Amino acid sequence: MTSAQRAAGVAALLVAGVFGTTTAVPALLAPAAAAPAVAFGDCPEGAVPAGAGVQCAVVEVPMNHADPDGAQIELTVSRVRAEGSSRGVIAANPGGPGADALDYWARRIDSFPAVLAQYDRIAVQPRGMRWSTPLDCAVKPDGTEPAPVGVKEVALRPRDDMRATCEAALPGYLDTITTESTARDLDAVRAALGVERLDYLGTSYGTYLGAVYATLFPDHTGRMILDSNVNPDWVWTEEFAQQQVAGKQRLDDLFAWIAEHDGEYRLGTTPLQVYRNWVRLVADQGGGWYANLTPPPAAVSDLPGALPEPLAEIARDGFNGSVEQIGKVQNLTRTLVAGGASAQVPLLGATTVATYTRAFWPNFARAMADANADPRNTGKLLALEGAGSSDPTGQVVFAAITCNENAVEPRPELIAAAAATIASGGSAMEARANLVRAGMNCGSWRPVAKPVAVDGAALQTPPLLLQSRHDALTAYEGGPALARAVHGRLITIEGGDHGTFGRGNAAVDDAVVRYLETGAVEIDRAEQAPLP
């Protein structure tokens, strides 16, 4: 699933509304009515790979679904037609929130089982993002100061400032950027296509979106695969807090694997040796204090370097709750939520991407070894970091959804506790989690919508859920929790891949195919995917 000014960005990074409220979309609204036929043609430039057989169409939907006759927005929909007679329509969402969706199927044609080619495959570019009606947050309300335009700058931007610019550009739109609105958009697309029931494949945040869709529209929900699951009880602050802790295990696994292959990479024969080399390289690239917040299997007291400024100040002088001090903690939190990418240090960004899937580990280890041999040789690190990049509008949508519907109250008293924990050599990852729980990410941007209470009791076919035991981005507990909520069947996969379907894991892929064909789930556990 970035920073603003150095001090105000801490909260937003740890995880990835103050100028009024809007009317939340009512929980009970009618399904979308049928619309005129949708005309598919060329996709927006740069949206999909060439030659993949993808076509796109534009569908209009209400900006506010509670006011269907009011202002309209546009959504772009991509489609890959079935080969031969279609067995149905599968919609997909890759996650985020704020991930581009239009190229989802085209980029996975060679990795997904061939049976999926028997379906019409669609993806809807979410509201607020490029290629749909975007959230335009380019300038401040007075029009005088351009806002940051880069992905990293947007991610770390103070949330209060972001909210003001977005609201000024198109009043009322920002507050409709919620999971419920996005789910209703999907149903509007379904109706426009003339489809009675959608099958669905969602990854990461896409699991929560799918669960909300199934709750609102059970009669229009077919077979649903939810892969790497958001915990519906953690939306959103606790989800990002748990991410900090889950990330430690995956980093330990990564460093252990590199140590096992020291003959090839020469980065250390033990996980701790690899880690120390990693810390040194991060520090040499200018991001040392981020490394200080990522402990090896040893305690934080083993780590070199100074604490980041806001934590050092709080540990020394205590938490005083001043505007300046809170701003500094907000900046640090946003930096941590962004996985260190906001530091613009190649090794940190590449490390974050490497935790997504074990398939990236050989490339990461080789890139780190190259940088170890020649600090100027960061080309492979930058290429790996770029694999997880997104458009700036995606960062705005991420902030909008996670702040608009955050159901977890802030606990600012945890700031001082986190600083004291780190300063005294305690668990740095738990301290990071507490910084997120303090609620600094959204600033004074308060929720405008209540999350939908997920419930799959009315579904005709129980969903299939896939969850890695050591997933660094959606902690394992999300799998069982969402399975209970949607009355689904859970398969636990060993290892820690985030996104397990289509990774070359025959047991998982075969289980998904059988589920699509029959609705049955016959296993509850699988080994992790082999390395390619």
Side-chain angles (χ1 to χ4, degrees):
M1 222 253 230
T2 13
S3 131
Q5 307 155 354
R6 180 87 179 175
V10 173
L13 291 180
L14 284 178
V15 175
V18 54
F19 298 104
T21 60
T22 64
T23 303
V25 178
L28 298 177
L29 291 177
V38 176
F40 281 87
D42 292 340
C43 293
E45 184 177 356
V48 300
V54 186
Q55 291 187 309
C56 291
V58 174
V59 176
E60 286 195 347
V61 302
M63 184 171 82
N64 186 339
H65 285 280
D67 183 16
D69 297 324
Q72 304 289 297
I73 63 169
E74 293 184 340
L75 305 173
T76 299
V77 183
S78 65
R79 182 180 67 183
V80 180
R81 296 301 299 264
E83 297 178 0
S85 180
S86 176
R87 299 179 58 171
V89 179
I90 300 182
N93 181 276
D100 286 323
L102 297 182
D103 63 349
Y104 181 86
W105 293 107
R107 295 194 180 280
R108 292 164 175 80
I109 285 176
D110 294 333
S111 59
F112 280 165
V115 70
L116 269 75
Q118 300 173 22
Y119 292 81
D120 289 322
R121 290 144 285 168
I122 68 168
V124 180
Q125 183 75 344
R127 63 168 54 209
M129 297 185 61
R130 62 176 174 176
W131 304 320
S132 289
T133 298
L135 278 171
D136 182 3
C137 310
V139 296
K140 291 181 177 294
D142 60 9
T144 59
E145 182 182 346
V149 294
V151 172
K152 296 175 181 178
E153 291 81 5
V154 171
L156 292 174
R157 185 176 173 192
R159 296 306 187 236
D160 297 346
D161 174 66
M162 178 185 291
R163 178 172 173 79
T165 60
C166 294
E167 180 63 20
L170 184 55
Y173 188 31
L174 180 66
D175 286 347
T176 74
I177 309 296
T178 65
T179 302
E180 180 174 345
S181 291
T182 308
R184 293 190 181 280
D185 291 343
L186 178 59
D187 195 62
V189 170
R190 174 203 60 76
L193 295 176
V195 177
E196 178 62 24
R197 182 168 291 163
L198 288 175
D199 292 333
Y200 181 85
L201 171 59
T203 304
S204 195
Y205 167 75
T207 64
Y208 182 62
L209 173 62
V212 169
Y213 181 85
T215 301
L216 297 174
F217 307 107
D219 292 340
H220 295 299
T221 302
R223 289 170 184 167
M224 177 170 282
I225 302 104
L226 306 178
D227 187 352
S228 306
N229 299 274
V230 168
N231 190 321
D233 300 323
W234 291 349
V235 174
W236 282 106
T237 296
E238 187 61 23
E239 183 72 30
F240 299 126
Q242 293 291 336
Q243 194 177 82
Q244 307 305 310
V245 178
K248 178 188 183 300
Q249 178 62 57
R250 202 53 178 160
L251 283 174
D252 291 351
D253 293 345
L254 171 60
F255 294 145
W257 183 88
I258 294 174
E260 290 171 2
H261 296 82
D262 182 62
E264 182 173 357
Y265 302 115
R266 303 295 181 187
L267 291 169
T269 59
T270 69
L272 189 56
Q273 289 177 6
V274 175
Y275 172 81
R276 285 172 173 158
N277 271 322
W278 180 83
V279 169
R280 175 179 53 78
L281 290 170
V282 169
D284 289 347
Q285 292 178 8
W289 71 268
Y290 294 98
N292 290 347
L293 293 179
T294 306
V300 177
S301 55
D302 293 326
L303 302 181
L307 288 171
E309 178 193 349
L311 297 185
E313 175 185 310
I314 293 169
R316 183 183 65 246
D317 303 328
F319 179 62
N320 58 33
S322 68
V323 172
E324 180 182 7
Q325 195 175 69
I326 288 176
K328 291 178 179 180
V329 176
Q330 287 175 341
N331 277 341
L332 176 58
T333 307
R334 281 193 291 271
T335 301
L336 293 175
V337 169
S342 61
Q344 299 186 10
V345 173
L347 183 54
L348 286 169
T351 303
T352 298
V353 173
T355 64
Y356 294 173
T357 171
R358 202 166 65 121
F360 287 145
W361 288 6
N363 289 340
F364 172 79
R366 172 49 52 204
M368 182 174 162
D370 287 351
N372 188 50
D374 179 359
R376 298 167 298 178
N377 190 356
T378 60
K380 292 178 181 176
L381 290 174
L382 291 169
L384 189 58
E385 179 186 16
S389 64
S390 64
D391 182 75
T393 59
Q395 295 295 333
V396 178
V397 168
F398 175 88
I401 287 180
T402 56
C403 293
N404 274 343
E405 64 185 32
N406 181 44
V408 181
E409 285 297 314
R411 299 173 60 191
E413 71 275 9
L414 293 177
I415 295 173
T421 296
I422 294 177
S424 62
S427 169
M429 298 306 265
E430 184 58 37
R432 285 171 56 153
N434 280 336
L435 283 174
V436 175
R437 293 184 179 110
M440 296 293 102
N441 180 51
C442 292
S444 56
W445 183 338
R446 299 298 296 160
V448 299
K450 183 178 180 180
V452 172
V454 172
D455 186 356
L459 293 174
Q460 180 177 344
T461 304
L464 166 61
L465 294 90
L466 309 171
Q467 184 67 45
S468 287
R469 195 176 297 279
H470 292 162
D471 191 324
L473 299 179
T474 48
Y476 176 76
E477 291 80 0
L482 193 58
R484 288 191 298 270
V486 299
H487 302 261
R489 295 286 306 277
L490 174 68
I491 300 176
T492 295
I493 296 100
E494 299 304 320
D497 284 349
H498 183 68
T500 61
F501 178 51
R503 297 281 190 196
N505 190 328
V508 172
D509 291 357
D510 289 349
V512 171
V513 169
R514 180 162 181 78
Y515 171 75
L516 284 172
E517 293 178 338
T518 68
V521 180
E522 298 181 346
I523 63 172
D524 60 11
R525 182 185 172 279
E527 294 296 329
Q528 66 182 332
L531 284 173

